[in-house]
Amino acid sequence: MTEETHTAPVEPAAVEEPLDLVRLSLDERIYVKLRGDRELRGKLHAYDGHLNMVLSEVEETITVVEINEETYEEVIRTQKKTSEMLFVRGDGVILVSPPVRTG
Amino acid sequence: MQSQERSPTEFLNNVIGRPVLVKLNSGVDYRGILSCLDGYMNIALEQTEEWVNGQLKNKYGDAFIRGNNGIKSIL
Amino acid sequence: MVCFYYFLVSTLRIESRNTLIGHQVTVELKNDLAITGILSSVDQFLNIKLDDIRVVDDTKYPHMMAVKNCFIRGSVVRYVQLPASAVDTALLQDAARREAQTPTTAAAHTMNR
């Protein structure tokens, strides 16, 4: 079984449409940027056209920027959470990046 | 660039493979090489750089940007 | 018959969910409220019904203490935490690959609309 799409004959480039990038990341650890300053790192097991996803061994990083009331300095606080298996609703997704292949 | 393109679709097809700047409504900009895009304006970029407030925040080898996330412009 | 039903409505969301009915899950909403309960049903909009619910941070949301079961509109869901033991990841990956190949999704993604 090869991974060939049933669309019009195009050059055999692996990425013909943006979602191919996500398909090629199945079973790999990916990085997901979500609305609300949330980031996820986890292994991708499933996705659909809405970018609903199922990830495992997930590390969630939540970034909160607080302004110190006296000094008016920005304090960036990050909070980490983990979950063994997570379904992510696609409407919150901003960006998906496959594991770093180079450098 | 502004030679003989007639429709937005044609314009976008002409830009594939070129360096682009994708601006989101959130104020975050992505610079990279446009690999492809689809009817939802989902975008695949290569050699992506994430810029926030004029500062380089992140680099991604490949990046999928979900359409309908308020893409304001592709330059 | 079952097969046809699956073909029509079973995007991976439903397929993956149905096996999880009866398991304990935690639904995190976009307003940060997180509710743990037994998954009782899911529909195509990812609306979720939970039984025997418990709010994860019940000091912050005391008004939920008396509630035993609930219906959650799909659009307000951010995450659903699942028990890893109840998820067949190989099956999920197959389903995702199959869905990626269906002509409907492929057509929807072409530029020529």
Side-chain angles (χ1 to χ4, degrees):
Chain A
M1 285 284 278
T2 52
E3 289 296 335
E4 283 177 357
T5 51
H6 297 171
T7 44
V10 198
E11 76 272 44
V15 179
E16 290 166 11
E17 58 168 46
L19 279 166
D20 288 343
L21 204 60
V22 184
R23 179 172 51 82
L24 292 169
S25 307
L26 278 168
D27 213 20
E28 307 256 15
R29 283 191 79 78
I30 58 165
Y31 165 87
V32 183
K33 191 179 162 73
L34 297 169
R35 288 172 186 234
D37 291 312
R38 284 158 195 271
E39 297 162 285
L40 302 174
R41 284 174 183 83
K43 192 172 173 186
L44 179 68
H45 294 291
Y47 72 95
D48 65 14
H50 299 101
L51 270 300
N52 293 322
M53 288 182 280
V54 178
L55 302 173
S56 70
E57 297 151 62
V58 189
E59 185 186 70
E60 179 187 17
T61 310
I62 307 167
T63 308
V64 188
V65 180
E66 289 168 343
I67 311 274
N68 185 312
E69 298 208 350
E70 288 155 22
T71 62
Y72 298 102
E73 278 175 28
E74 285 191 354
V75 183
I76 297 171
R77 201 162 53 81
T78 60
Q79 188 188 347
K80 298 215 185 229
K81 291 187 196 170
T82 56
S83 13
E84 53 178 20
M85 190 68 69
L86 193 66
F87 166 85
V88 182
R89 193 175 159 93
D91 59 0
V93 173
I94 296 173
L95 177 143
V96 179
S97 182
V100 185
R101 293 196 179 107
T102 52
Chain B
M1 277 287 283
Q2 46 267 74
S3 44
Q4 42 327 48
E5 68 242 358
R6 278 143 289 189
S7 70
T9 306
E10 256 175 79
F11 166 75
L12 288 171
N13 283 333
N14 282 334
V15 194
I16 286 173
R18 291 171 183 263
V20 293
L21 168 63
V22 179
K23 285 165 127 22
L24 302 193
N25 271 343
S26 59
V28 182
D29 294 353
Y30 293 95
R31 293 173 178 278
I33 312 292
L34 182 67
S35 315
C36 52
L37 66 169
D38 65 19
Y40 296 120
M41 288 280 264
N42 292 323
I43 294 175
L45 293 180
E46 293 167 28
Q47 301 162 42
T48 313
E49 294 176 348
E50 181 177 78
W51 292 77
V52 185
N53 300 325
Q55 284 181 295
L56 180 60
K57 288 280 169 175
N58 256 319
K59 286 188 178 188
Y60 313 101
D62 286 316
F64 171 99
I65 300 169
R66 193 184 195 262
N68 312 6
N69 241 321
I71 287 166
K72 283 199 291 192
S73 57
I74 304 176
L75 305 172
Chain C
M1 172 63 182
V2 172
C3 218
F4 189 62
Y5 174 76
Y6 258 60
F7 197 68
L8 279 180
V9 288
S10 97
T11 53
L12 75 104
R13 14 181 204 271
I14 296 175
E15 223 169 326
S16 64
R17 254 76 266 279
N18 266 350
T19 63
L20 289 163
I21 303 282
H23 284 90
Q24 179 169 294
V25 299
T26 300
V27 180
E28 184 177 323
L29 310 186
K30 287 179 176 142
N31 66 3
D32 292 335
L33 178 64
I35 306 169
T36 301
I38 306 295
L39 190 61
S40 113
S41 70
V42 181
D43 65 17
Q44 82 256 40
F45 304 111
L46 296 186
N47 297 324
I48 293 171
K49 277 189 190 166
L50 291 182
D51 292 334
D52 291 328
I53 65 162
R54 177 167 52 80
V55 170
V56 174
D57 188 357
D58 56 0
T59 50
K60 200 169 155 195
Y61 305 96
H63 55 283
M64 294 290 288
M65 293 266 276
V67 185
K68 287 285 160 278
N69 41 57
C70 65
F71 173 91
I72 301 165
R73 186 179 153 96
S75 62
V76 303
V77 172
R78 181 187 289 136
Y79 306 129
V80 185
Q81 281 171 249
L82 314 169
S85 55
V87 178
D88 184 339
T89 54
L91 198 82
L92 271 183
Q93 284 179 30
D94 282 356
R97 290 210 159 87
R98 244 182 295 121
E99 173 156 323
Q101 293 199 343
T102 54
T104 44
T105 37
H109 294 305
T110 56
M111 282 297 297
N112 311 312
R113 288 192 302 167

